[in-house]
Amino acid sequence: MRVAGLVLAAGAGSRFGRPKALVAHRGVRWVEHAAAVLGDAGCAPVVVVLGAAAATVRAETSLAGLVVVDNPGWATGMGSSLRVGLAALTGVDAVVVLPVDTPGVTAAAVGRLVALASPAVLARASYAGAPGHPVLIGADHWPGVSAAATGDAGARDYLRAHGAVVVPCEDVADGADVDRPEDLVT
C-alpha cells in the first residue's frame, strides 16, 4: 500500500498568538516536526497545507522534499485545508492526516495506522479512549470526506458516521491538541 502523509498547517493560531506552523518546541518548528513524524513512519509523499503566514512559513522553515500547497480559504477552518490536501494527492491508496498542533504524536503512533492502510479503510488514533489524531483515510473515502469537511470539523463527523477503526496510541504518543502556549508540555 502507498500511504501519503498530510500535515494541516494553514491556521492563524489565534488562540496561540501566532501560526502554529511557526511554533518551535525543543528546537524544531512544528511544521517540520509533523512532516518528519509522517515521513519517519513511511508516509510518502508528505503534503503540507499552508495558509496564514504561508510566505513566512516557507522562508523560516525547511520544507525541502515535501509537497507544499496553499489553501486560499484557510480562514474558513480546517475542513478547507483537508479538502485542499486531499485534492493534491494522486497515486496513493490512503493518507495519514496530522494537524500541526499535535506535537506529541510520534512515528510509532502513525505507524500503527499505516499498518492498517487500504483504499477502503478509515481509522483514527485514540488516547485513553478519546478520539484523536492522526487519522487514516483510504482513497475510497476521499470524495465523501471532502464533501463533509466544513468549518473546523474536518473529517470528524464522517469518521463517526462510517465507523472508523479506533487505534489506541496512548502508550506511544500524546495526542493532545495544543491550542494555547500554556497547553504545551515542556
Side-chain angles (χ1 to χ4, degrees):
M1 291 288 121
R2 288 201 52 209
V3 183
L6 176 56
V7 179
L8 303 179
S14 58
R15 290 178 286 179
F16 202 90
R18 62 184 169 168
K20 295 177 191 173
L22 293 168
V23 173
H25 183 61
R26 297 183 180 141
V28 180
R29 301 283 181 134
W30 282 0
V31 69
E32 296 165 332
H33 172 75
V37 164
L38 291 168
D40 289 349
C43 297
V46 174
V47 175
V48 177
V49 180
L50 299 178
T56 304
V57 174
R58 280 185 172 87
E60 295 184 9
T61 63
S62 176
L63 303 176
L66 307 173
V67 177
V68 182
V69 295
D70 288 314
N71 175 11
W74 64 267
T76 65
M78 183 175 50
S80 65
S81 291
L82 181 56
R83 290 192 306 273
V84 166
L86 291 175
L89 296 171
T90 58
V92 296
D93 301 297
V95 62
V96 176
V97 181
L98 185 62
V100 75
D101 64 352
T102 55
V105 171
T106 63
V110 174
R112 287 185 181 173
L113 295 170
V114 168
L116 301 174
S118 80
V121 75
L122 284 173
R124 75 175 320 151
S126 72
Y127 300 90
H133 289 95
V135 171
L136 175 67
I137 305 171
D140 293 352
H141 292 281
W142 296 353
V145 167
S146 291
T150 58
D152 278 328
R156 177 180 27 216
D157 292 340
Y158 187 91
L159 293 167
R160 187 178 312 117
H162 292 86
V165 174
V166 175
V167 181
C169 291
E170 62 271 359
D171 62 319
V172 295
D174 173 1
D177 291 346
V178 180
D179 291 327
R180 295 171 187 81
E182 57 269 19
D183 297 336
L184 188 57
V185 177
T186 58

